[in-house]
Amino acid sequence: KPCPLCDEAKEVLEPYKRRFILQEVDITLPENAMWYDKYKYDIPVFHLNGKFLMKHQVDIQKFENQLMKLELQND
């Protein structure tokens, strides 16, 4: 379904797309009911490397810091 908040978040993350894999989850699908129950009022929600990172909008400083930590761990 249209999600202007999600579209805005993807635009903000666009410059970083070579540094991580964006996996979108449609929480309205039956197989994602767990996510819907948890986040139906908080979209978009961001997890990085399987851990909750932020919700509602991109905190670019927080995202950059966590992404850099992951990259340093993987080097």
Side-chain angles (χ1 to χ4, degrees), residues 5-23:
L5 297 173
C6 300
D7 294 340
E8 181 181 323
K10 286 189 281 188
E11 283 182 34
V12 172
L13 294 173
E14 179 69 20
Y16 301 91
K17 69 181 181 181
R18 289 184 178 88
R19 295 173 62 191
F20 74 102
I21 297 169
L22 177 65
Q23 179 184 357

Side-chain angles (χ1 to χ4, degrees), residues 3-65:
C3 178
L5 297 173
C6 300
D7 294 340
E8 181 181 323
K10 286 189 281 188
E11 283 182 34
V12 172
L13 294 173
E14 179 69 20
Y16 301 91
K17 69 181 181 181
R18 289 184 178 88
R19 295 173 62 191
F20 74 102
I21 297 169
L22 177 65
Q23 179 184 357
E24 295 180 57
V25 176
D26 182 346
I27 65 171
T28 64
L29 297 175
E31 63 266 24
N32 295 324
M34 176 190 79
W35 295 115
Y36 180 82
D37 292 342
K38 189 169 186 171
Y39 293 125
K40 62 186 164 201
Y41 302 117
D42 291 316
I43 60 168
V45 174
F46 306 90
H47 288 85
L48 186 60
N49 207 30
K51 295 181 182 177
F52 174 81
L53 183 61
M54 57 195 157
K55 61 184 176 182
H56 301 157
Q57 63 184 16
V58 175
D59 178 335
I60 203 65
Q61 190 62 53
K62 184 174 191 175
F63 175 73
E64 285 180 351
N65 290 344

